């Protein structure tokens, strides 16, 4: 058996034994790499990055001084929270939606955050 055949067999067996969430994570990572996005797991505080993935949760957080809309973007490697200051809702920002966001990474409560990111919604699949 050649090295290429072993590698192909190993990938086939990995796909058979992987869970749905593992396969989903791999697919998201491939899609993010195709559009040139930085994996969320590699983002560091202060970097200006482009991240791409799926919104897991979207929550409106009412605050007395400044309401926020927060959306957790998961790209298969880690989560980056997108925080839209002063917004109650944004059309198209909903759980399950594919999105690419750009901005400077900050750290809040040990979580990666991008405040008021530039974003592009991907076509629904």
């Amino acid at each position: 058996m050649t090295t290429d055949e072993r590698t192909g067999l190993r990938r086939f067996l990995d796909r058979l034994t992987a869970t749905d969430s593992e396969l989903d994570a791999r697919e998201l990572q491939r899609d993010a790499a195709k559009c040139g996005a930085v994996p969320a797991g590699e983002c560091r505080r202060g970097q200006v990055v482009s991240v791409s993935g799926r919104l897991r949760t979207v929550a409106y957080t009412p605050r007395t001084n400044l309401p926020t809309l927060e959306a957790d973007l998961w790209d298969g490697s880690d989560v980056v929270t997108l925080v839209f200051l002063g917004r109650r809702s944004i059309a198209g920002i909903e759980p399950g939606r594919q999105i690419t966001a750009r901005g400077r990474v900050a750290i809040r409560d040990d979580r990666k955050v991008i405040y008021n990111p530039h974003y592009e919604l991907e076509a629904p699949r």
Side-chain angles (χ1 to χ4, degrees):
M1 190 180 280
T2 67
T3 304
D4 289 340
E5 289 172 337
R6 283 191 200 124
T7 303
L9 181 61
R10 185 171 296 127
R11 271 186 288 177
F12 175 73
L13 291 174
D14 284 346
R15 277 182 280 168
L16 279 178
T17 59
T19 64
D20 287 341
S21 61
E22 289 171 335
L23 293 173
D24 186 43
R26 289 179 195 164
E27 181 181 348
L28 284 171
Q29 289 172 3
R30 275 193 306 273
D31 291 347
K34 283 180 191 174
C35 72
V38 175
E42 295 177 16
C43 293
R44 300 290 171 248
R45 184 174 58 103
Q47 278 184 310
V48 176
V49 298
S50 176
V51 290
S52 183
R54 185 178 303 125
L55 296 179
R56 280 186 158 177
T57 61
V58 177
Y60 168 66
T61 307
R63 296 203 169 110
T64 56
N65 56 350
L66 185 65
T68 61
L69 183 68
E70 298 186 8
D72 286 341
L73 182 143
W74 183 64
D75 75 346
S77 68
D78 200 358
V79 173
V80 174
T81 301
L82 308 177
V83 179
F84 300 92
L85 301 172
R87 302 296 300 263
R88 296 178 189 276
S89 66
I90 298 173
I93 301 293
E94 56 196 27
R97 192 70 188 259
Q98 293 287 125
I99 187 172
T100 299
R102 285 180 285 290
R104 186 174 304 276
V105 177
I107 302 295
R108 183 183 74 186
D109 301 328
D110 293 326
R111 298 179 66 202
K112 296 171 187 166
V113 177
I114 299 177
Y115 290 97
N116 291 328
H118 296 279
Y119 66 92
E120 295 175 18
L121 299 172
E122 306 295 327
R125 294 181 184 185

